[in-house]
Amino acid sequence: MDEKLRKILENAHRAVFFGGAGVSVESGIPDFRSPDGLYSRQFDVPAEEILSRGYFDAHTEEFFRFYRGRMLYPAARPNAAHRALARLEAAGRLRSVVTQNIDGLHQAAGSRRVWELHGSVHRNHCMRCGRFYGLEAVAGCTGVPRCSCGGIIKPDVVLYGEALDSRVLSGAARDIADADVLVVGGTSLNVYPAAGLLRYFSGKELVVINKTPTPADRAASLVLTGPIGSILGGEPGREEAAAAAEGPQKQ
Ligand code: NAD
């Protein structure tokens, strides 16, 4: 881990990590706004439109073709950044992860308190009877996924034009407001209301880790430019390694 960041986190008691798609790029999942991100590719319909609730309702089959092909990465595994954040939580330094990602990789790495602002590909519900389905029900079929009752199975992923879950939003806002350190990483901070959560932070250290400049850089006490896996990852400190070896702690 970067030395300056390590020092800041060593003194932290209620740090929060706020992240986005850049965190999972090193796991092989493209982000949206990098030069090789999803928004740079030419589709017949712009990706932002396909990922909207209006498009889902009007063109359900096309939505699922795009969603399966471009948004689902069932083989992706956590990278060094996800693992470092899980170790920090186990060591009692990090209170929670607030993520815009929908891939579930923070939980796969062992993070326990994760606020998924935009939902998760791992949760899906029948729009008619409400029955729950895992990722496989959507990833493992073709066309529109159907419940045994005949209803459409919809991913619990927040599409453009849909509201964020108010319980998740307020939980994330509370953790950020209570945080002594906020680490923002792998996000362009372009998507609202998620990016607006940063205004709740009033702690002492704001750290930004990103490959490209962000609107939060000016207010940050430390800006680290580069791949988040090598900045956050690397060899764990002794305390973190011991905590990780003990496994998850009860909160
Ligand atoms: P974004 O694409 O707008 O921005 C990603 C940022 O990460 C960019 O600024 C880029 O420079 C930076 N970045 C890329 N690779 C990096 C790396 N290895 N290390 C450090 N920084 C890196 O993504 P966003 O801000 O999260 O907002 C877009 C939306 O994308 C979110 O709503 C999210 O739901 C969705 N999304 C999620 C996933 C996922 O779940 N993995 C993937 C694609 C998009």
Side-chain angles (χ1 to χ4, degrees):
M1 183 184 290
D2 173 271
E3 259 323 294
K4 284 190 199 135
L5 179 58
R6 184 191 297 281
K7 286 218 172 77
I8 290 174
L9 290 173
E10 263 170 18
N11 294 316
H13 301 290
R14 297 179 313 280
V16 168
F17 179 81
F18 178 95
V23 175
S24 294
V25 166
E26 290 160 68
S27 293
I29 304 180
D31 65 6
F32 278 177
R33 290 177 183 82
S34 285
D36 50 356
L38 202 56
Y39 285 179
S40 67
R41 311 221 184 144
Q42 291 297 317
F43 301 109
D44 293 343
V45 179
E48 292 101 311
E49 192 179 328
I50 300 177
L51 294 171
S52 70
R53 181 57 194 255
Y55 193 87
F56 175 90
D57 288 336
H59 308 279
T60 314
E61 191 154 347
E62 291 88 334
F63 170 89
F64 276 107
R65 194 176 313 129
F66 182 91
Y67 180 77
R68 269 191 208 98
R70 305 286 175 177
M71 303 300 293
L72 296 186
Y73 292 84
R77 293 290 166 263
N79 63 49
H82 299 106
R83 291 194 295 271
L85 291 165
R87 285 197 301 271
L88 284 164
E89 184 184 4
R93 301 280 170 229
L94 189 81
R95 174 130 173 81
S96 64
V97 168
V98 178
T99 183
Q100 300 164 84
N101 292 349
I102 55 175
D103 53 36
L105 291 182
H106 286 294
Q107 291 92 331
S111 285
R112 291 158 57 90
R113 191 171 168 90
V114 182
W115 298 107
E116 293 177 310
L117 298 171
H118 295 156
S120 172
V121 299
H122 295 281
R123 295 189 296 274
N124 304 273
H125 282 94
C126 171
M127 294 174 78
R128 188 186 291 170
C129 72
R131 183 171 166 191
F132 174 86
Y133 288 91
L135 174 61
E136 198 39 41
V138 175
C141 65
T142 54
V144 177
R146 294 274 174 187
C147 177
S148 46
C149 82
I152 296 169
I153 301 173
K154 181 181 178 294
D156 286 5
V157 160
V158 179
L159 301 174
Y160 291 109
E162 287 184 326
L164 275 64
D165 182 316
S166 59
R167 191 192 60 85
V168 173
L169 202 52
S170 60
R174 234 183 0 256
D175 278 6
I176 291 173
D178 283 350
D180 49 1
V181 173
L182 180 63
V183 181
V184 174
T187 172
S188 63
L189 296 175
N190 262 297
V191 177
Y192 280 79
L197 286 172
L198 265 57
R199 71 173 187 273
Y200 290 101
F201 179 63
S202 62
K204 31 180 214 270
E205 305 273 9
L206 172 66
V207 179
V208 177
I209 308 169
N210 213 55
K211 271 193 168 169
T212 51
T214 81
D217 294 4
R218 224 156 24 107
S221 44
L222 178 63
V223 176
L224 299 167
T225 305
I228 194 163
S230 38
I231 291 173
L232 266 183
E235 283 307 299
R238 229 177 308 148
E239 186 186 3
E240 296 160 22
E246 277 170 24
Q249 310 285 308
K250 271 221 162 81
Q251 294 200 4

